[in-house]
Amino acid sequence: MSGQSITDRITAAQHSVTGSAISKTVCKATTHEIMGPKKKHLDYLIQCTNEMNVNIPQLADTLFERTTNTSWVVVFKSLTTTHHLMVYGNERFIQYLASRNTLFNLSNFLDKSGLQGYDMSTFIRRYSRYLNEKAVSYRQVAFDFTKVKRGSDGVMRTMNTEKLLKTIPIIQNQMDVLLDFNVNANELTNGVINAAFMLLFKDAIRLFAAYNEGIINLLEKYFDMKKLQCKEGLDIYKKFLTRMTRISEFLKVAEQVGIDRGDIPDLSQAPSSLLDALEQHLASLEGKKVKDSTAASRASTLSNAVSSLANTGISFTKVDEREKQAALEEEQARLKALKEQRLKELQKNPAIATTDSSPVSTTGGTINSAPSIDLFSTPSSTNSNSKAANDLLDLQPAFQQPLPVSSSNTWGGFTASPAPQQPQNSRGLNVDFDSVFGNNTNANNLDSTAVSFCRRRMKIQISPRP
């Protein structure tokens, strides 16, 4: 089976119609193609977990829905995508998973479509158990062991005795479920299970580094503990030695499948004399007869053991830092490529730079820059005063002055003289007060003109017709 199936294409088309970009991306990341989820789809989903307006429960439910598929490929890729978001996504995603009562109920999953389906179904059941346990661990301690601060001032090194004795068993349970994946090099035969194994490999390194620092803190406090605490601490240390053997076998598988030797940390076994010293100290607290041992010998044994475990922790930390540096260099290379591509686009079309940097619109290669209008500006006081006066005097057409009447002409009539011109910059009512109050000669002319006009009309009416 290779390539996207018809079902994958139809499902993606349905999500395109409904406008759900997240559901469409989840569908594309979990297709029937026998290969790991594509990086571009994983990067998009990681970005979605960082967006505050994205519905994290909806994203998680979409992944859970994909695990109900009957195909082992779709289910395995859904688990891998979920694991990837738990490791590299925003912490809100794993917080939501930890708040749920149930996550993946795949303990009875079995794909009967072929021999490969039978083989992969076993690893799907184991893988789902680990993701469930990872979420449960987060719920119990409120942080992810693979992301805690490490070093002499780290979380596990500075934890008090009571909390330490409760926290280390949680790491042990998560480590046990991870190592129960129990895959051999000859069983890593396709891209789907290889992608899951790589995530488990990275989790194992970080998880064991936190586990190792917790044991160092435990040993430093052991000889100051009470009897019950010493008994519990001794049991924890014995289990740690067993898991050191199992983790070394897991790392050998990683080396066999082609992981670089420099990316695999070195494990340094603590001296066997340390276990004897711990057992003798507990026996002395219980009142049993033990071999006489000086405080100097115990301190020397403890110092050698802590130094050996510290070297192991340093080796694991270097591997983790090397991976972070590689991821940073990859991101810088991608940003550089995007920058070079952008510069090439600007060289081909310089108008793009103007459009991006200026709000002035460009049409046909020309820039149309119209003066902007400030809608919220306030006019100056001079302009506002003149505008107010003009508004009041704009009522002039309703009160226009009647045209002055000129003296009689040779035809016995009268003509209207043109109104006196006013300066262009002056607007107002022109009222001749002298004419109104009889102080002007125009008033006498007006009377004589009226008498002449009346006489002429009377002559015209009395004269007989020819």
Side-chain angles (χ1 to χ4, degrees):
M1 184 189 302
S2 61
Q4 295 185 20
S5 66
I6 297 177
T7 305
D8 296 331
R9 297 180 184 275
I10 293 175
T11 306
Q14 289 175 347
H15 292 308
S16 298
V17 171
T18 58
S20 178
I22 294 178
S23 299
K24 180 181 178 181
T25 307
V26 170
C27 177
K28 287 182 171 294
T30 58
T31 59
H32 288 77
E33 296 176 278
I34 305 182
M35 58 181 293
K38 293 183 180 178
K39 188 176 184 301
K40 62 179 181 179
H41 299 144
L42 295 175
D43 290 343
Y44 177 81
L45 293 177
I46 290 174
Q47 182 63 29
C48 288
T49 62
N50 293 318
E51 298 293 337
M52 297 305 297
N53 59 343
V54 171
N55 192 339
I56 296 296
Q58 180 184 358
L59 171 58
D61 291 341
T62 305
L63 290 168
F64 294 150
E65 182 181 355
R66 295 294 286 175
T67 59
T68 60
N69 199 287
T70 57
S71 171
W72 71 267
V73 182
V74 176
V75 176
F76 217 151
K77 292 173 74 171
S78 301
L79 296 176
T80 305
T81 303
T82 304
H83 191 185
H84 194 88
L85 296 181
M86 294 173 75
V87 175
Y88 300 106
N90 192 282
E91 194 171 3
R92 295 188 305 145
F93 185 77
I94 191 173
Q95 284 176 351
Y96 172 73
L97 297 184
S99 67
R100 291 176 61 102
N101 293 329
T102 58
L103 292 182
F104 301 106
N105 188 16
L106 299 172
S107 57
N108 297 320
F109 177 81
L110 182 61
D111 186 351
K112 302 178 181 179
S113 60
L115 182 60
Q116 192 176 25
Y118 275 95
D119 296 336
M120 293 296 108
S121 296
T122 302
F123 297 107
I124 286 176
R125 294 192 295 269
R126 296 172 182 174
Y127 194 25
S128 64
R129 284 186 59 237
Y130 171 71
L131 296 182
N132 289 340
E133 187 64 30
K134 185 179 177 70
V136 170
S137 298
Y138 189 94
R139 183 192 309 166
Q140 292 175 328
V141 297
F143 59 82
D144 188 352
F145 289 113
T146 62
K147 298 180 181 180
V148 294
K149 181 181 179 180
R150 294 196 290 270
S152 58
D153 58 343
V155 175
M156 300 303 298
R157 291 291 296 272
T158 58
M159 199 171 287
N160 58 50
T161 303
E162 291 77 10
K163 190 174 181 180
L164 185 66
L165 293 175
K166 294 179 180 178
T167 304
I168 293 181
I170 299 175
I171 303 181
Q172 288 178 340
N173 293 336
Q174 186 174 343
M175 179 64 70
D176 288 342
V177 179
L178 188 153
L179 297 175
D180 286 342
F181 193 72
N182 197 23
V183 64
N184 297 323
N186 56 1
E187 293 173 321
L188 299 173
T189 56
N190 59 76
V192 181
I193 191 173
N194 290 347
F197 180 77
M198 284 302 300
L199 290 173
L200 290 173
F201 170 73
K202 295 175 182 178
D203 264 18
I205 291 177
R206 298 167 183 167
L207 188 61
F208 190 82
Y211 189 16
N212 185 72
E213 291 190 349
I215 295 297
I216 293 175
N217 190 12
L218 177 68
L219 294 176
E220 291 174 344
K221 292 179 168 61
Y222 183 81
F223 292 102
D224 298 328
M225 292 180 182
K226 299 177 182 179
K227 181 174 67 173
L228 294 178
Q229 292 176 337
C230 286
K231 186 176 182 180
E232 188 176 355
L234 180 61
D235 182 59
I236 289 174
Y237 181 72
K238 290 180 178 179
K239 292 180 179 179
F240 172 75
L241 297 178
T242 304
R243 283 154 185 79
M244 272 194 96
T245 305
R246 295 187 64 188
I247 192 67
S248 63
E249 295 175 356
F250 184 86
L251 296 179
K252 288 180 181 178
V253 175
E255 185 177 0
Q256 292 173 4
V257 297
I259 295 178
D260 189 74
R261 187 68 184 87
D263 295 334
I264 300 176
D266 298 325
L267 290 177
S268 301
Q269 295 285 346
S272 58
S273 58
L274 175 62
L275 181 59
D276 295 335
L278 297 178
E279 290 176 343
Q280 289 178 11
H281 178 71
L282 177 60
S284 65
L285 293 178
E286 293 176 346
K288 298 178 182 179
K289 293 183 179 182
V290 294
K291 297 178 181 180
D292 294 335
S293 60
T294 62
S297 63
R298 288 189 307 179
S300 176
T301 303
L302 180 61
S303 177
N304 293 334
V306 170
S307 176
S308 176
L309 295 177
N311 292 334
T312 300
I314 293 173
S315 177
F316 276 80
T317 302
K318 286 182 178 179
V319 172
D320 194 17
E321 290 178 352
R322 193 179 300 117
E323 180 190 353
K324 292 180 180 179
Q325 184 64 27
L328 181 61
E329 293 176 355
E330 180 183 355
E331 185 68 20
Q332 290 177 347
R334 184 166 61 177
L335 290 176
K336 183 178 179 180
L338 291 174
K339 185 177 180 180
E340 293 177 352
Q341 181 181 359
R342 181 62 175 170
L343 291 176
K344 291 180 181 179
E345 292 177 356
L346 293 178
Q347 291 175 357
K348 292 181 180 179
N349 190 2
I352 298 178
T354 308
T355 305
D356 294 341
S357 60
S358 174
V360 182
S361 60
T362 58
T363 305
T366 61
I367 301 177
N368 300 326
S369 57
S372 60
I373 301 174
D374 191 358
L375 299 177
F376 303 97
S377 63
T378 56
S380 62
S381 60
T382 305
N383 293 338
S384 62
N385 293 336
S386 62
K387 181 173 177 58
N390 292 340
D391 290 342
L392 291 174
L393 298 179
D394 279 342
L395 299 174
Q396 180 181 353
F399 303 99
Q400 282 196 0
Q401 176 187 3
L403 296 175
V405 182
S406 64
S407 60
S408 59
N409 57 12
T410 55
W411 299 96
F414 61 91
T415 58
S417 62
Q421 295 184 353
Q422 300 177 1
Q424 294 181 356
N425 58 353
S426 66
R427 298 179 60 187
L429 293 173
N430 297 323
V431 181
D432 193 351
F433 292 97
D434 293 336
S435 299
V436 173
F437 295 101
N439 295 329
N440 196 341
T441 58
N442 289 338
N444 298 330
N445 294 336
L446 180 61
D447 294 340
S448 62
T449 303
V451 172
S452 176
F453 177 74
C454 292
R455 289 177 179 176
R456 183 172 179 79
R457 292 290 298 175
M458 292 174 65
K459 290 180 181 181
I460 291 175
Q461 294 177 0
I462 298 173
S463 62
R465 294 180 182 180

